[in-house]
Amino acid sequence: MPGLLRRFWNAVTGRTPAAPPRRVRGSYDNAQPGGENAEHWAWADSLNANSANSPDVRRALRERARQEADNNGYCGGLIDKLGQDLVKVGPRIQISIPGTDRTLVRRVERAFGAWAIAAGLAGKLRLLDNAAVRDGEGFGVLTTNPALPADGVQLDVRVYETDQVDTPFLDWSDPLAFPGGRLDAHGNVTEWHFLKVHPGSAVWMGSPLDYDRLPASRVLHWFKPRRAGQLRGVPEIQSSLGLYAILRRYTLATLGAAEFAASIAGVLETDLPPGEYATSVEAMDEIDVPRRKLLTLPAGQTAKPFDATQPTTAYREFKGEILTESGQPVGAPRNIATGSSAEYNYSSGRLDHGIYQDGIRVRRHDLRVRVLDRVFRAWLDEASLIPGLIPDGLPLRPAWSWEWFFAGWVSLDPVKDANADDVRLRNGTTTYAEIYAEK
């Protein structure tokens, strides 16, 4: 504060104003402006999750992810592998109702299992997960399918692509509206908007801007949120797309160099001075070489094989490192991302599989809460209306509880696993129920 103003302040208020706060400059190297930092983080921003994942951004990412998955065997194979390991052949439900005959409970479990097979539930769950990894999110709508057996539950899960979940002419001034749906005052999604026609369809039925408003209670939204408040998903492999592109370009370049080298049998060299040729052969001429013959060479010239240097010895290692990094966004270890365990021994394979399986267990927990439990409750609502499907005399639903079980993992060493189970049973650290549930 200038001296004159400070004296005026002292005279009026009778006190001295506090000195202005000093500007503290942090010492973090990565927070400094300019230089390499400015170039490396040129696209860094402070957008919130939904602004950063705008419709245009999500569209560009999913289109590129689909193109890569369709043309890169490693990328497409990893997406399929994740869905298969998550769902396996389909979850099995085990219901517990206190004070109820187990045979009655088994009737309910078998009825749900029969419906799940008829509705193709396992395949639709794998499709939802594939969409989340590749497209960013998958949508399932709880609907009625008359094609299912008329004497049973006709509930069905219809899977939609994320492209079809959108709001034409969105009112951006409405704080509760977002592309594809609407929120309540507490931030919960209350409705989703489904276009009646896929925007990429070649068949147009009515107006392409017509859409249905579906209550959120009927919609299954499967995606992996990475930021607080995130409403729409981006491909889980999006941070690997650049790596997969590098891998394909490197593979094609290596193949091109190898094909070029393989197409040249050899070269002719001469010791004659420039401009002097013993024959009419000019530089870069092609010469046909007969098979299984003795050859003579022009005076002053020698023949040498063409030295092919591709692929280099580092080719395999480079691909392995790129693929290892590409699998990290989805928690896939090296042998899952590359599809090969040739470099593994038993201990390293078991360690990596243990970490990978823990990630799958976390993913299965989310699948139970956000998808499977809701599907079962919807099935139970309809099954209760069909005479004889749910046994009479069962307690009210609040007394029910259930668990979901998936097919177990293939044992890397059945003998060691069996001995470990035997030891744990004898010291009381496990039960037969837990062991069989894992299998």
Side-chain angles (χ1 to χ4, degrees), residues 174-435:
D174 186 353
L176 300 181
F178 68 94
R182 188 171 178 80
L183 304 171
D184 63 14
H186 304 285
N188 303 306
V189 180
T190 59
E191 66 181 32
W192 289 98
H193 304 158
F194 286 78
L195 299 177
K196 293 185 177 181
V197 180
H198 191 293
S201 174
V203 179
W204 297 95
M205 298 178 296
S207 172
L209 300 180
D210 286 345
Y211 66 98
D212 295 318
R213 297 175 180 266
L214 300 183
S217 59
R218 289 179 51 195
V219 178
L220 307 172
H221 186 203
W222 180 241
F223 80 113
K224 183 177 182 179
R226 295 182 179 274
R227 297 180 60 182
Q230 184 175 344
L231 298 172
R232 302 296 299 267
V234 295
E236 295 183 33
I237 60 168
Q238 68 88 14
S239 57
S240 298
L241 292 178
L243 297 174
Y244 282 126
I246 291 173
L247 182 64
R248 280 207 295 151
R249 293 203 307 270
Y250 180 57
T251 300
L252 292 175
T254 301
L255 177 61
E259 286 181 336
F260 175 78
S263 64
I264 301 177
V267 294
L268 287 178
E269 294 183 351
T270 180
D271 296 330
L272 296 176
E276 296 185 17
Y277 298 95
T279 66
S280 59
V281 176
E282 300 290 341
M284 303 304 293
D285 275 355
E286 297 181 358
I287 302 175
D288 292 331
V289 180
R291 300 176 59 188
R292 296 187 299 275
K293 301 292 183 179
L294 293 176
L295 301 177
T296 61
L297 294 176
Q301 294 183 341
T302 58
K304 291 184 177 180
F306 187 78
D307 185 16
T309 59
Q310 295 291 346
T312 65
T313 55
Y315 174 73
R316 178 187 179 93
E317 181 180 356
F318 178 79
K319 288 189 65 174
E321 291 302 317
I322 290 292
L323 289 171
T324 300
E325 183 178 351
S326 300
Q328 293 310 295
V330 292
R334 185 184 183 98
N335 64 335
I336 298 296
T338 63
S340 172
S341 298
E343 301 175 356
Y344 278 69
N345 56 34
Y346 173 79
S347 297
S348 60
R350 193 177 184 89
L351 176 63
D352 273 8
H353 271 76
I355 298 173
Y356 173 66
Q357 291 168 12
D358 280 345
I360 294 294
R361 290 188 184 97
V362 173
R363 202 174 182 91
R364 285 177 177 174
H365 170 77
D366 292 341
L367 187 69
R368 293 180 184 121
V369 174
R370 295 164 54 187
V371 177
L372 292 176
D373 285 352
R374 294 182 57 195
V375 170
F376 178 65
R377 291 190 180 96
W379 177 88
L380 202 56
D381 287 340
E382 187 171 337
S384 301
L385 303 177
I386 301 176
L389 189 58
I390 303 297
D392 296 330
L394 294 181
L396 297 177
R397 195 179 306 175
W400 295 31
S401 62
W402 55 81
E403 293 288 340
W404 297 95
F405 295 95
F406 297 79
W409 302 97
V410 176
S411 175
L412 299 181
D413 192 329
V415 175
K416 286 188 177 180
D417 289 340
N419 291 334
D421 290 342
D422 181 61
V423 172
R424 294 172 60 200
L425 283 170
R426 284 189 279 108
N427 63 24
T429 56
T430 190
T431 63
Y432 281 106
E434 291 177 348
I435 292 175

Side-chain angles (χ1 to χ4, degrees), residues 103-124:
T103 57
L104 299 179
V105 179
R106 286 288 295 153
R107 285 176 54 184
V108 181
E109 295 172 351
R110 285 194 295 267
F112 178 80
W115 168 84
I117 293 176
L121 181 62
K124 292 173 181 178

